Amino acid sequence: MQKKYLLIYEEISKQIQEGHYPPKTILPSENEFADMYQTSRETIRKALNLLAQNGFIQKIRGKGSLVLDLKRHQFPISGLISFKELAENMGGKAKTTVEEFTLEIAGREIAKELNVADEEKVWKIKRVRHIDEERVILDKDFLVETHVPGLSAEKCENSIFEYIEGQLEKKISFAKKEFTVEEPNAEDRKLLDMEGFHAIVIVKNYIYFDDATLFQYTESRHRPDKFRFVDFARRMDTQQSL
């Protein structure tokens, strides 16, 4: 017999998909659900955790379970796509604002990430990504100036990838990515709309040209509700010896 929390999960997820609980609304509390389904809060908590794991809701401390928009845009972790390219596929409004743009000595920490000398000149950029008039992503970009000369704040506001491929005529080939989830810091709360959110998804990108030259390191800080990070995996065929 199927466990009760799975039956509750299936029913609530169906109700969300059918619009009974619209996006951006708060679900009934654990106590209210427990009364509705004549079960314990622990059973309800398991069902809600499963809803969160599968992208139906976002738990917000002090408010409850926020229903997410199932049509929100998916951000492919295995591909290389610029925000401008992603924005062109969005139904809502999207834009980029450049908060900081400087050319500085790399310094020990950034030099280590980019595998260059501490004295190497590096473009240091902070960009905020706006979607539907909400500030939801903070990108902190570091690019080696000798590999990407002539950069400007205007080019960063448009698309760094477009400048590199279109004007510099260099081929961007691959990236290594690392994912963590942390509590938002003071800068996140200053530059992003983080009210009610107590976690931020951090994606570190190490981006390479086709000759395997590392030219860019980016720390991309995402509000957790806006994107579902997706990938496609295939199990390799193996032969087992008997």
Side-chain angles (χ1 to χ4, degrees):
M1 183 177 179
Q2 193 172 17
K3 293 182 178 180
K4 189 165 186 177
Y5 80 90
L6 291 174
L7 293 171
I8 295 171
Y9 159 77
E10 289 175 358
E11 184 170 330
I12 297 174
S13 63
K14 183 179 179 182
Q15 290 174 332
I16 291 173
Q17 292 176 78
E18 292 176 348
H20 180 75
Y21 296 115
K24 297 187 178 181
T25 61
I26 300 295
L27 287 179
S29 68
E30 289 181 4
N31 284 332
E32 290 171 327
F33 270 137
D35 289 340
M36 289 167 58
Y37 288 100
Q38 293 295 295
T39 190
S40 67
R41 285 185 61 190
E42 181 61 28
T43 297
I44 296 300
R45 191 172 294 119
K46 287 181 179 180
L48 293 177
N49 286 339
L50 198 54
L51 286 166
Q53 291 169 19
N54 286 287
F56 289 99
I57 63 171
Q58 172 74 33
K59 289 190 172 183
I60 300 177
R61 194 180 307 165
K63 289 190 175 182
S65 299
L66 176 72
V67 178
L68 298 178
D69 184 357
L70 298 180
K71 296 180 181 178
R72 67 195 185 283
H73 305 284
Q74 295 185 334
F75 196 89
I77 65 172
S78 59
L80 263 175
I81 184 170
S82 70
F83 181 80
K84 183 179 180 181
E85 292 167 331
L86 184 66
E88 288 172 351
N89 296 323
M90 291 180 177
K93 297 178 182 177
K95 71 173 183 177
T96 295
T97 56
V98 178
E99 302 294 325
E100 292 183 22
F101 176 81
T102 58
L103 179 61
E104 302 177 16
I105 298 300
R108 182 175 299 177
E109 185 177 334
I110 298 304
K112 183 179 178 181
E113 300 289 1
L114 286 168
N115 195 27
V116 296
D118 293 1
E119 299 77 21
E120 186 83 40
K121 286 188 176 182
V122 170
W123 301 108
K124 297 184 178 182
I125 308 144
K126 288 182 184 177
R127 296 181 292 175
V128 173
R129 313 299 197 169
H130 305 243
I131 299 175
D132 294 333
E133 300 182 353
E134 288 188 291
R135 299 170 298 166
V136 297
I137 304 171
L138 170 61
D139 280 343
K140 300 165 74 170
D141 305 295
F142 305 91
L143 297 97
V144 181
E145 191 265 344
T146 54
H147 297 320
V148 189
L151 200 56
S152 67
E154 291 75 20
K155 293 181 176 71
C156 294
E157 186 175 292
N158 179 48
S159 171
I160 293 175
F161 278 15
E162 186 174 292
Y163 169 67
I164 290 172
E165 295 176 325
Q167 296 188 41
L168 297 183
E169 297 183 343
K170 294 186 176 183
K171 185 176 180 181
I172 299 169
S173 182
F174 63 95
K176 181 180 75 173
K177 303 191 179 193
E178 299 177 5
F179 291 77
T180 57
V181 178
E182 299 177 7
E183 288 190 7
N185 59 30
E187 183 178 52
D188 297 325
R189 297 198 177 280
K190 177 183 176 182
L191 295 178
L192 301 179
D193 295 321
M194 293 296 298
E195 183 179 356
F197 293 93
H198 299 272
I200 195 155
V201 180
I202 301 170
V203 185
K204 293 182 178 181
N205 294 271
Y206 301 83
I207 308 174
Y208 298 77
F209 290 132
D210 60 350
D211 63 357
T213 298
L214 172 62
F215 71 92
Q216 179 175 345
Y217 165 67
T218 294
E219 183 179 295
S220 190
R221 305 176 71 87
H222 296 249
R223 203 176 73 179
D225 67 314
K226 200 61 182 180
F227 292 102
R228 172 185 292 173
F229 293 86
V230 296
D231 199 3
F232 174 81
R234 184 189 300 277
R235 181 171 171 80
M236 300 296 292
D237 290 333
T238 59
Q239 291 183 344
Q240 296 182 345
S241 57
L242 299 177

PDB file of all heavy atoms in Angstrom, residues 29-30 67 81 101 115 135 140 201 227 232 238:
ATOM      1  N   SER A  29      -1.272  25.883   6.028  1.00  0.00           N
ATOM      2  CA  SER A  29      -0.212  25.503   6.970  1.00  0.00           C
ATOM      3  C   SER A  29      -0.202  23.994   7.197  1.00  0.00           C
ATOM      4  O   SER A  29      -1.134  23.277   6.796  1.00  0.00           O
ATOM      5  CB  SER A  29      -0.436  26.205   8.304  1.00  0.00           C
ATOM      6  OG  SER A  29      -1.609  25.697   8.929  1.00  0.00           O
ATOM      7  N   GLU A  30       0.860  23.520   7.845  1.00  0.00           N
ATOM      8  CA  GLU A  30       0.951  22.091   8.170  1.00  0.00           C
ATOM      9  C   GLU A  30      -0.236  21.660   9.021  1.00  0.00           C
ATOM     10  O   GLU A  30      -0.795  20.580   8.817  1.00  0.00           O
ATOM     11  CB  GLU A  30       2.266  21.807   8.899  1.00  0.00           C
ATOM     12  CG  GLU A  30       3.499  21.905   8.016  1.00  0.00           C
ATOM     13  CD  GLU A  30       4.777  21.591   8.782  1.00  0.00           C
ATOM     14  OE1 GLU A  30       4.674  21.232   9.983  1.00  0.00           O
ATOM     15  OE2 GLU A  30       5.868  21.696   8.200  1.00  0.00           O
ATOM     16  N   VAL A  67       3.914  28.666  -3.573  1.00  0.00           N
ATOM     17  CA  VAL A  67       3.733  27.903  -4.803  1.00  0.00           C
ATOM     18  C   VAL A  67       4.551  28.560  -5.909  1.00  0.00           C
ATOM     19  O   VAL A  67       4.435  29.765  -6.156  1.00  0.00           O
ATOM     20  CB  VAL A  67       2.243  27.847  -5.209  1.00  0.00           C
ATOM     21  CG1 VAL A  67       2.079  27.091  -6.534  1.00  0.00           C
ATOM     22  CG2 VAL A  67       1.418  27.173  -4.114  1.00  0.00           C
ATOM     23  N   ILE A  81      25.251  29.234 -22.042  1.00  0.00           N
ATOM     24  CA  ILE A  81      24.286  30.157 -22.616  1.00  0.00           C
ATOM     25  C   ILE A  81      24.381  31.480 -21.874  1.00  0.00           C
ATOM     26  O   ILE A  81      24.517  31.509 -20.651  1.00  0.00           O
ATOM     27  CB  ILE A  81      22.850  29.589 -22.532  1.00  0.00           C
ATOM     28  CG1 ILE A  81      21.838  30.516 -23.215  1.00  0.00           C
ATOM     29  CG2 ILE A  81      22.444  29.294 -21.095  1.00  0.00           C
ATOM     30  CD1 ILE A  81      20.462  29.900 -23.378  1.00  0.00           C
ATOM     31  N   PHE A 101      32.255  48.269 -12.659  1.00  0.00           N
ATOM     32  CA  PHE A 101      33.075  47.889 -13.805  1.00  0.00           C
ATOM     33  C   PHE A 101      34.448  48.526 -13.637  1.00  0.00           C
ATOM     34  O   PHE A 101      34.585  49.755 -13.689  1.00  0.00           O
ATOM     35  CB  PHE A 101      32.439  48.356 -15.119  1.00  0.00           C
ATOM     36  CG  PHE A 101      33.287  48.073 -16.335  1.00  0.00           C
ATOM     37  CD1 PHE A 101      33.291  46.813 -16.917  1.00  0.00           C
ATOM     38  CD2 PHE A 101      34.098  49.065 -16.874  1.00  0.00           C
ATOM     39  CE1 PHE A 101      34.085  46.546 -18.025  1.00  0.00           C
ATOM     40  CE2 PHE A 101      34.892  48.807 -17.983  1.00  0.00           C
ATOM     41  CZ  PHE A 101      34.887  47.538 -18.555  1.00  0.00           C
ATOM     42  N   ASN A 115      44.022  31.177 -12.520  1.00  0.00           N
ATOM     43  CA  ASN A 115      45.313  30.545 -12.807  1.00  0.00           C
ATOM     44  C   ASN A 115      46.254  31.510 -13.529  1.00  0.00           C
ATOM     45  O   ASN A 115      46.864  31.176 -14.547  1.00  0.00           O
ATOM     46  CB  ASN A 115      45.122  29.265 -13.623  1.00  0.00           C
ATOM     47  CG  ASN A 115      46.377  28.399 -13.633  1.00  0.00           C
ATOM     48  OD1 ASN A 115      47.180  28.454 -12.696  1.00  0.00           O
ATOM     49  ND2 ASN A 115      46.540  27.609 -14.680  1.00  0.00           N
ATOM     50  N   ARG A 135      14.922  41.892  -9.139  1.00  0.00           N
ATOM     51  CA  ARG A 135      16.363  41.659  -9.191  1.00  0.00           C
ATOM     52  C   ARG A 135      16.644  40.271  -8.603  1.00  0.00           C
ATOM     53  O   ARG A 135      16.556  40.084  -7.394  1.00  0.00           O
ATOM     54  CB  ARG A 135      17.092  42.745  -8.393  1.00  0.00           C
ATOM     55  CG  ARG A 135      16.854  44.163  -8.932  1.00  0.00           C
ATOM     56  CD  ARG A 135      17.382  45.220  -7.981  1.00  0.00           C
ATOM     57  NE  ARG A 135      16.682  45.158  -6.691  1.00  0.00           N
ATOM     58  CZ  ARG A 135      17.103  45.771  -5.584  1.00  0.00           C
ATOM     59  NH1 ARG A 135      18.235  46.464  -5.586  1.00  0.00           N
ATOM     60  NH2 ARG A 135      16.411  45.684  -4.459  1.00  0.00           N
ATOM     61  N   LYS A 140      29.072  38.103 -10.610  1.00  0.00           N
ATOM     62  CA  LYS A 140      30.355  38.738 -10.321  1.00  0.00           C
ATOM     63  C   LYS A 140      31.378  38.111 -11.267  1.00  0.00           C
ATOM     64  O   LYS A 140      31.766  36.959 -11.103  1.00  0.00           O
ATOM     65  CB  LYS A 140      30.722  38.521  -8.857  1.00  0.00           C
ATOM     66  CG  LYS A 140      29.678  39.108  -7.906  1.00  0.00           C
ATOM     67  CD  LYS A 140      29.819  38.611  -6.483  1.00  0.00           C
ATOM     68  CE  LYS A 140      30.985  39.234  -5.790  1.00  0.00           C
ATOM     69  NZ  LYS A 140      30.987  38.922  -4.328  1.00  0.00           N
ATOM     70  N   VAL A 201      21.441  30.319  -4.334  1.00  0.00           N
ATOM     71  CA  VAL A 201      22.161  29.287  -5.092  1.00  0.00           C
ATOM     72  C   VAL A 201      23.365  29.945  -5.769  1.00  0.00           C
ATOM     73  O   VAL A 201      23.208  30.924  -6.500  1.00  0.00           O
ATOM     74  CB  VAL A 201      21.256  28.638  -6.150  1.00  0.00           C
ATOM     75  CG1 VAL A 201      22.027  27.574  -6.929  1.00  0.00           C
ATOM     76  CG2 VAL A 201      20.012  28.035  -5.499  1.00  0.00           C
ATOM     77  N   PHE A 227      14.745  29.998 -10.960  1.00  0.00           N
ATOM     78  CA  PHE A 227      15.200  29.022 -11.945  1.00  0.00           C
ATOM     79  C   PHE A 227      15.242  27.623 -11.358  1.00  0.00           C
ATOM     80  O   PHE A 227      15.603  27.430 -10.207  1.00  0.00           O
ATOM     81  CB  PHE A 227      16.601  29.355 -12.457  1.00  0.00           C
ATOM     82  CG  PHE A 227      16.650  30.594 -13.280  1.00  0.00           C
ATOM     83  CD1 PHE A 227      17.123  31.772 -12.744  1.00  0.00           C
ATOM     84  CD2 PHE A 227      16.215  30.602 -14.591  1.00  0.00           C
ATOM     85  CE1 PHE A 227      17.176  32.922 -13.497  1.00  0.00           C
ATOM     86  CE2 PHE A 227      16.263  31.744 -15.349  1.00  0.00           C
ATOM     87  CZ  PHE A 227      16.748  32.909 -14.799  1.00  0.00           C
ATOM     88  N   PHE A 232      20.698  16.776 -18.252  1.00  0.00           N
ATOM     89  CA  PHE A 232      20.304  15.501 -18.842  1.00  0.00           C
ATOM     90  C   PHE A 232      21.455  14.534 -18.649  1.00  0.00           C
ATOM     91  O   PHE A 232      22.608  14.846 -18.938  1.00  0.00           O
ATOM     92  CB  PHE A 232      20.015  15.672 -20.342  1.00  0.00           C
ATOM     93  CG  PHE A 232      19.733  14.371 -21.045  1.00  0.00           C
ATOM     94  CD1 PHE A 232      18.481  13.796 -20.988  1.00  0.00           C
ATOM     95  CD2 PHE A 232      20.734  13.728 -21.757  1.00  0.00           C
ATOM     96  CE1 PHE A 232      18.217  12.588 -21.626  1.00  0.00           C
ATOM     97  CE2 PHE A 232      20.480  12.527 -22.402  1.00  0.00           C
ATOM     98  CZ  PHE A 232      19.220  11.964 -22.341  1.00  0.00           C
ATOM     99  N   THR A 238      27.389  -0.748 -19.893  1.00  0.00           N
ATOM    100  CA  THR A 238      28.512  -1.472 -19.284  1.00  0.00           C
ATOM    101  C   THR A 238      28.319  -2.969 -19.474  1.00  0.00           C
ATOM    102  O   THR A 238      27.190  -3.462 -19.612  1.00  0.00           O
ATOM    103  CB  THR A 238      28.594  -1.171 -17.769  1.00  0.00           C
ATOM    104  OG1 THR A 238      27.378  -1.558 -17.139  1.00  0.00           O
ATOM    105  CG2 THR A 238      28.843   0.302 -17.522  1.00  0.00           C
TER     106      THR A 238
END
